[in-house]
Amino acid sequence: MSPGGSSNMGGEQQVDYPVPANRAGVVIGRGGETINQIKEKSGAFVQINKTPPQDHPDWKYFTIRGNQNQIAHAQKLIQVHTTKYLDAVF
């Protein structure tokens, strides 16, 4: 298993992508609007992991499933949203 927790299942892969807990809400958006846009634009399945590892309470993990390009696109979109949030705060 590679960093980020990826596994390969017949062309489809799954990755657990970490996001600081205080920014997870920005990725989800009001009423799920942002996460739905990420799913639509990337073509990947994206969902917050409801049972994150207890040894990392300051992080939330998003499960991303799809082909390699879909996963990379979803990760980039998540990163853009968390960075936008930081720019707005600072």
Side-chain angles (χ1 to χ4, degrees):
M1 198 173 282
S2 66
S6 69
S7 61
N8 191 347
M9 301 176 258
E12 183 174 82
Q13 299 177 353
Q14 179 171 309
V15 173
D16 288 324
Y17 190 72
V19 171
N22 65 350
R23 294 194 197 93
V26 174
V27 175
I28 295 168
R30 181 172 287 165
E33 182 178 340
T34 304
I35 198 167
N36 287 334
Q37 288 175 356
I38 292 169
K39 289 183 210 181
E40 187 178 315
K41 288 179 181 178
S42 69
F45 168 86
V46 183
Q47 177 179 312
I48 192 162
N49 186 333
K50 304 245 190 270
T51 55
Q54 292 182 352
D55 56 340
H56 295 105
D58 294 338
W59 294 90
K60 298 286 185 184
Y61 289 81
F62 285 84
T63 299
I64 306 171
R65 251 193 333 262
N67 66 38
Q68 191 172 7
N69 290 337
Q70 290 170 325
I71 290 171
H73 192 187
Q75 288 174 325
K76 176 74 174 170
L77 291 170
I78 290 170
Q79 186 178 35
V80 165
H81 283 285
T82 57
T83 303
K84 264 200 255 180
Y85 170 79
L86 282 176
D87 290 344
V89 171
F90 296 106

